[in-house]
mmCIF file of all heavy atoms in Angstrom:
data_model
loop_
_atom_site.group_PDB
_atom_site.id
_atom_site.type_symbol
_atom_site.label_atom_id
_atom_site.label_comp_id
_atom_site.label_asym_id
_atom_site.label_seq_id
_atom_site.Cartn_x
_atom_site.Cartn_y
_atom_site.Cartn_z
ATOM 1 N N PRO A 1266 27.263 38.397 20.959
ATOM 2 C CA PRO A 1266 27.109 37.040 20.450
ATOM 3 C C PRO A 1266 28.184 36.729 19.410
ATOM 4 O O PRO A 1266 28.700 37.624 18.741
ATOM 5 C CB PRO A 1266 25.732 37.038 19.809
ATOM 6 C CG PRO A 1266 25.105 38.343 20.098
ATOM 7 C CD PRO A 1266 26.120 39.237 20.669
ATOM 8 N N SER A 1268 29.755 35.579 15.993
ATOM 9 C CA SER A 1268 29.336 35.716 14.596
ATOM 10 C C SER A 1268 29.758 34.475 13.818
ATOM 11 O O SER A 1268 30.686 33.765 14.208
ATOM 12 C CB SER A 1268 29.953 36.970 13.968
ATOM 13 O OG SER A 1268 31.359 36.873 14.005
ATOM 14 N N ASN A 1269 29.067 34.228 12.722
ATOM 15 C CA ASN A 1269 29.368 33.111 11.808
ATOM 16 C C ASN A 1269 29.282 31.745 12.487
ATOM 17 O O ASN A 1269 30.103 30.868 12.226
ATOM 18 C CB ASN A 1269 30.739 33.292 11.156
ATOM 19 C CG ASN A 1269 30.816 34.551 10.339
ATOM 20 O OD1 ASN A 1269 29.846 34.935 9.707
ATOM 21 N ND2 ASN A 1269 31.956 35.213 10.366
ATOM 22 N N THR A 1276 18.141 27.290 0.082
ATOM 23 C CA THR A 1276 16.685 27.404 -0.082
ATOM 24 C C THR A 1276 16.114 26.399 -1.073
ATOM 25 O O THR A 1276 14.962 25.999 -0.957
ATOM 26 C CB THR A 1276 16.291 28.822 -0.523
ATOM 27 O OG1 THR A 1276 16.993 29.145 -1.708
ATOM 28 C CG2 THR A 1276 16.612 29.817 0.563
ATOM 29 N N VAL A 1280 15.758 16.956 -3.205
ATOM 30 C CA VAL A 1280 15.596 15.685 -2.499
ATOM 31 C C VAL A 1280 15.619 14.603 -3.566
ATOM 32 O O VAL A 1280 14.786 14.596 -4.468
ATOM 33 C CB VAL A 1280 14.274 15.641 -1.712
ATOM 34 C CG1 VAL A 1280 14.111 14.309 -1.019
ATOM 35 C CG2 VAL A 1280 14.213 16.778 -0.714
ATOM 36 N N LEU A 1281 16.584 13.675 -3.474
ATOM 37 C CA LEU A 1281 16.788 12.663 -4.496
ATOM 38 C C LEU A 1281 16.544 11.270 -3.944
ATOM 39 O O LEU A 1281 16.932 10.952 -2.824
ATOM 40 C CB LEU A 1281 18.220 12.729 -5.033
ATOM 41 C CG LEU A 1281 18.690 14.076 -5.567
ATOM 42 C CD1 LEU A 1281 20.167 14.040 -5.868
ATOM 43 C CD2 LEU A 1281 17.908 14.458 -6.792
ATOM 44 N N TRP A 1302 10.318 6.717 0.100
ATOM 45 C CA TRP A 1302 9.312 7.773 0.072
ATOM 46 C C TRP A 1302 8.019 7.108 -0.355
ATOM 47 O O TRP A 1302 7.979 5.930 -0.669
ATOM 48 C CB TRP A 1302 9.730 8.937 -0.822
ATOM 49 C CG TRP A 1302 9.779 8.641 -2.295
ATOM 50 C CD1 TRP A 1302 10.636 7.808 -2.931
ATOM 51 C CD2 TRP A 1302 8.919 9.158 -3.294
ATOM 52 N NE1 TRP A 1302 10.371 7.775 -4.267
ATOM 53 C CE2 TRP A 1302 9.314 8.603 -4.531
ATOM 54 C CE3 TRP A 1302 7.857 10.041 -3.271
ATOM 55 C CZ2 TRP A 1302 8.671 8.904 -5.709
ATOM 56 C CZ3 TRP A 1302 7.228 10.344 -4.470
ATOM 57 C CH2 TRP A 1302 7.642 9.773 -5.667
ATOM 58 N N THR A 1310 2.423 1.501 -2.265
ATOM 59 C CA THR A 1310 2.358 0.945 -3.612
ATOM 60 C C THR A 1310 1.581 -0.366 -3.659
ATOM 61 O O THR A 1310 1.410 -0.948 -4.714
ATOM 62 C CB THR A 1310 3.767 0.707 -4.171
ATOM 63 O OG1 THR A 1310 4.467 -0.197 -3.308
ATOM 64 C CG2 THR A 1310 4.533 2.002 -4.301
ATOM 65 N N SER A 1312 2.456 -3.260 -2.785
ATOM 66 C CA SER A 1312 3.267 -4.370 -3.248
ATOM 67 C C SER A 1312 3.720 -5.258 -2.106
ATOM 68 O O SER A 1312 4.447 -6.212 -2.327
ATOM 69 C CB SER A 1312 4.490 -3.855 -4.002
ATOM 70 O OG SER A 1312 5.329 -3.118 -3.132
ATOM 71 N N GLY A 1320 -9.884 -17.425 9.785
ATOM 72 C CA GLY A 1320 -10.143 -17.145 11.187
ATOM 73 C C GLY A 1320 -10.486 -18.405 11.945
ATOM 74 O O GLY A 1320 -10.634 -19.501 11.372
ATOM 75 N N GLU A 1323 -13.968 -20.019 10.913
ATOM 76 C CA GLU A 1323 -13.922 -20.675 9.603
ATOM 77 C C GLU A 1323 -13.175 -21.999 9.684
ATOM 78 O O GLU A 1323 -13.576 -22.994 9.066
ATOM 79 C CB GLU A 1323 -13.271 -19.760 8.561
ATOM 80 C CG GLU A 1323 -14.131 -18.599 8.125
ATOM 81 C CD GLU A 1323 -14.089 -17.424 9.091
ATOM 82 O OE1 GLU A 1323 -13.219 -17.399 9.986
ATOM 83 O OE2 GLU A 1323 -14.947 -16.539 8.980
ATOM 84 N N ASN A 1332 -21.719 -26.044 7.468
ATOM 85 C CA ASN A 1332 -21.875 -25.011 6.463
ATOM 86 C C ASN A 1332 -22.199 -23.669 7.081
ATOM 87 O O ASN A 1332 -21.837 -22.636 6.553
ATOM 88 C CB ASN A 1332 -22.961 -25.394 5.458
ATOM 89 C CG ASN A 1332 -22.545 -26.561 4.616
ATOM 90 O OD1 ASN A 1332 -21.358 -26.765 4.389
ATOM 91 N ND2 ASN A 1332 -23.502 -27.353 4.169
ATOM 92 N N ILE A 1334 -23.450 -21.580 11.083
ATOM 93 C CA ILE A 1334 -23.505 -21.664 12.541
ATOM 94 C C ILE A 1334 -24.856 -22.208 13.005
ATOM 95 O O ILE A 1334 -24.971 -22.788 14.074
ATOM 96 C CB ILE A 1334 -23.242 -20.265 13.155
ATOM 97 C CG1 ILE A 1334 -21.838 -19.825 12.775
ATOM 98 C CG2 ILE A 1334 -23.379 -20.274 14.654
ATOM 99 C CD1 ILE A 1334 -21.482 -18.419 13.183
#
Side-chain angles (χ1 to χ4, degrees):
S1268 60
N1269 299 324
T1276 56
V1280 179
L1281 305 172
W1302 68 293
T1310 59
S1312 64
E1323 287 82 12
N1332 292 332
I1334 297 174

